[in-house]
Amino acid sequence: PGPLRPQAVCRRRAALMSDEARGTPLGDLADKLSIGERIGQGTKNSWVNPAYWNRQFVTASHIANNVPNGSTVLELGKDAKNLYYVPSPEAMTLVVPPSNLIVEQGPIREAAAKLRVPFSLFTETPLDAVPLTAASFDAALLFDMLDGAPEQAAYGAVSLLANALKPGGVLLFAEREGANLPAICADFNLQVASEAEGGFDVGIATRRPPPSRQTRKQKAAAAARGRRRPVAVDPAKGGFGAAGGRGKAAPSREEKEAERARRKEEKVE
């Protein structure tokens, strides 16, 4: 895919708006408003928890516009509601991170069954123990999950999602600015396009395809990233359980093959 532009992430037309919503002030202006302006507009025109409902509008628009049809989708979330916004998925997986709250699987599975696509659910499992196949998902979702979470938990969440993405796969996110998610995604060598408005970072992080050939400078940079000390994770903090270390996502099969070829070249030299 070509380079991502932040304005394409957040200012597209909301494809899932109902006919009723189009008659409201928010619906009429949806094509022109930024994220911050949408939140302000929702605050003026809604009398019940306006910020929440406006975030749901932004979430639905973001997912519907930026997840390709026929995608395998992974979400780190609390329930199945965001999965309803995905257009024509092939399969879906929801990971609910460990927390102090009791997670009722029945209602989640019942809601997911209405989607009529293969669905997998993981609850109460530390993130680094979730049995996901690397490089097997086209898209991942992370919406308002990291507020108040310690940095190590945020790195664990991005590690799980980035490792699961195929090369070229996209991570869609809307997280509070305090979570510093764009910078964390960049630490995992994801290509990030985002906007920071209304107190949220909203954007897309794309997993880069493996390089065909690395220069000496790129090899040295990759080696330096590999020498980073992992972040120790306290399962009692953040509710995300033990998580992977801070750094680059686990390599895909293509990346492993490229690394083996590089080592053979070095031996010949």
Side-chain angles (χ1 to χ4, degrees), residues 100-121:
N100 295 328
L101 302 176
I102 298 176
V103 178
E104 297 289 346
Q105 291 196 21
I108 295 177
R109 292 190 181 277
E110 183 179 349
K114 298 176 183 178
L115 300 170
R116 302 192 178 197
V117 296
F119 176 73
S120 300
L121 174 64

Side-chain angles (χ1 to χ4, degrees), residues 15 20 23 40 54 58 68 95 114 157 178 180 199 207-208 214 228 250 258:
E20 293 80 4
N54 207 273
V58 171
V95 177
K114 298 176 183 178
N180 202 25
R207 182 165 184 178
R208 303 173 190 270
Q214 289 183 320
R228 288 180 181 175

Side-chain angles (χ1 to χ4, degrees), residues 153-265:
Y155 271 89
V158 177
S159 176
L160 173 78
L161 300 175
N163 182 56
L165 285 176
K166 300 175 182 177
V170 293
L171 166 59
L172 309 185
F173 61 86
E175 289 290 342
R176 297 180 188 274
E177 289 184 50
N180 202 25
L181 191 59
I184 295 175
C185 289
D187 275 354
F188 282 87
N189 200 31
L190 301 176
Q191 179 183 351
V192 182
S194 66
E195 288 183 346
E197 295 187 58
F200 279 78
D201 288 315
V202 183
I204 300 176
T206 305
R207 182 165 184 178
R208 303 173 190 270
S212 56
R213 191 177 184 87
Q214 289 183 320
T215 64
R216 289 185 178 180
K217 186 175 181 180
Q218 289 171 329
K219 291 178 182 178
R225 287 195 297 269
R227 289 194 296 269
R228 288 180 181 175
R229 296 181 61 185
V231 177
V233 177
D234 182 355
K237 294 182 179 180
F240 283 2
R246 178 173 178 171
K248 188 178 178 181
S252 65
R253 180 183 300 176
E254 292 84 0
E255 290 170 331
K256 290 180 180 178
E257 291 177 354
E259 178 64 16
R260 284 196 289 268
R262 182 187 67 78
R263 290 180 180 178
K264 286 182 181 179
E265 289 181 1

